[in-house]
Amino acid sequence: EAAVTQSPRNKVAVTGGKVTLSCNQTNNHNNMYWYRQDTGHGLRLIHYSYGAGSTEKGDIPDGYKASRPSQENFSLILELATPSQTSVYFCASGEKISNERLFFGHGTKLSVL
Amino acid sequence: AQSVTQPDARVTVSEGASLQLRCKYSSSGTPYLFWYVQYPRQGLQLLLKYYSGDPVVQGVNGFEAEFSKSNSSFHLRKASVHWSDSAVYFCVLSGLSGSFNKLTFGAGTRLAVCP
């Protein structure tokens, strides 16, 4: 089973502060994703990546940046955190471009005060 | 644009009872559909998937789903639920957006199984 590890599991940040969420996958998947989960919305795509060095905007990228320095690592960066970014964030990885199954991390619960 | 609707935000059933969680989708192309489950404090895990062929697909832990093109539905079923099935269930639609495989998630249905 593919392993996707997120850190930290919980984070409390102050408004205007910088937050970095990290994700590591060990199964050599090309594609990685960052989602946020809010009640009533399911999961919404923030950024994704096709491989090392690539980042693409998803459906709700505003206020977020992403970095993919290697095949294994994909970070989500909030340069100036706001209370509206309080949410649960999930990282996922997948093998194929089309019709792929995703493997998810356990999530990071972020609270911005 | 593709979309997924799960009309029931919360479903409560008794242990041993049968279950159906509803999912309606909208897609301009060939739909590829998934059901994922999220147990408390965990990430999402794949239950089952439909790509083509037999409209009834089997998944893990006794779950199955039936695809209906005419009804644009992909309902999840289980004959007899166990308390450990309490979780949030997501219906997911996969479709190409340019060269990117776009996944659209429903809002989820929270299942509570009562003893």
Side-chain angles (χ1 to χ4, degrees), chain A residues 46-57:
Chain A
I46 306 170
H47 284 287
Y48 60 98
S49 169
Y50 292 122
S54 90
T55 60
E56 305 289 339
K57 294 181 179 179

Side-chain angles (χ1 to χ4, degrees), chain A residues 17-99:
Chain A
K18 181 177 181 178
V19 177
T20 300
L21 307 183
S22 300
C23 179
N24 175 274
Q25 55 101 358
T26 59
N27 278 67
N28 200 34
H29 290 163
N30 288 327
N31 300 339
M32 295 187 74
Y33 309 79
W34 276 106
Y35 291 90
R36 62 178 286 175
Q37 182 182 27
D38 302 288
T39 303
H41 287 280
L43 273 69
R44 293 180 291 173
L45 182 65
I46 306 170
H47 284 287
Y48 60 98
S49 169
Y50 292 122
S54 90
T55 60
E56 305 289 339
K57 294 181 179 179
D59 296 325
I60 53 165
D62 292 346
Y64 303 93
K65 292 183 180 179
S67 173
R68 182 88 182 269
S70 65
Q71 181 80 339
E72 297 79 21
N73 296 295
F74 189 39
S75 298
L76 185 68
I77 303 153
L78 291 66
E79 294 279 2
L80 295 169
T82 68
S84 65
Q85 293 175 313
T86 294
S87 186
V88 180
Y89 292 85
F90 286 97
C91 176
S93 71
E95 296 175 310
K96 301 186 295 184
I97 285 291
S98 61
N99 316 314

